[in-house]
Amino acid sequence: MEKLIYRKIQEFDPKLDDFEISYSNHPLLLDDIIMSYKGRNKLAKSESIKELTSEILNNLLLIKNESIAYVKFVVVRYDMISRLFVFNEDYSKVFFDFIVPTESNQRI
């Protein structure tokens, strides 16, 4: 499974070379994630976080329009950066990714 995930991430972003992954292999209900990001968007205090959660929410809604019910998350770490990749259930497709905000890369 790990080899498949590494391959799909490198196909999605060929510039990524040396990175580590974390994943739980647990499918997440897309409707629950959408509800969570709607709440996160409403609670966002900074404009940059509000923009990010809005972008993520829009991408999740597009996935839902494809009649997808479950997704899986994979965290990719490299050069002090964490990116969250959203995959389909069997890891054969990356839907989208985003950089996870930290204090150093977030505008407050």
Side-chain angles (χ1 to χ4, degrees), residues 17-60:
D17 191 22
D18 186 24
F19 59 92
E20 297 176 7
I21 64 169
S22 312
Y23 64 100
S24 69
N25 203 24
H26 180 72
L28 303 168
L29 187 60
L30 189 55
D31 285 336
D32 289 349
I33 298 168
I34 289 170
M35 290 297 291
S36 174
Y37 273 92
K38 283 181 180 179
R40 289 178 184 192
N41 188 264
K42 287 181 183 180
L43 296 173
K45 290 184 168 72
S46 73
E47 194 58 37
S48 62
I49 296 298
K50 193 167 196 71
E51 287 174 18
L52 177 62
T53 57
S54 180
E55 180 182 330
I56 293 168
L57 183 57
N58 288 338
N59 284 325
L60 292 170

Side-chain angles (χ1 to χ4, degrees), residues 27-30 33 63 67-72 87-89 95:
L28 303 168
L29 187 60
L30 189 55
I33 298 168
I63 294 169
S67 299
I68 304 292
Y70 292 90
V71 294
K72 290 183 178 175
F87 280 81
N88 63 346
E89 277 190 272
F95 291 114

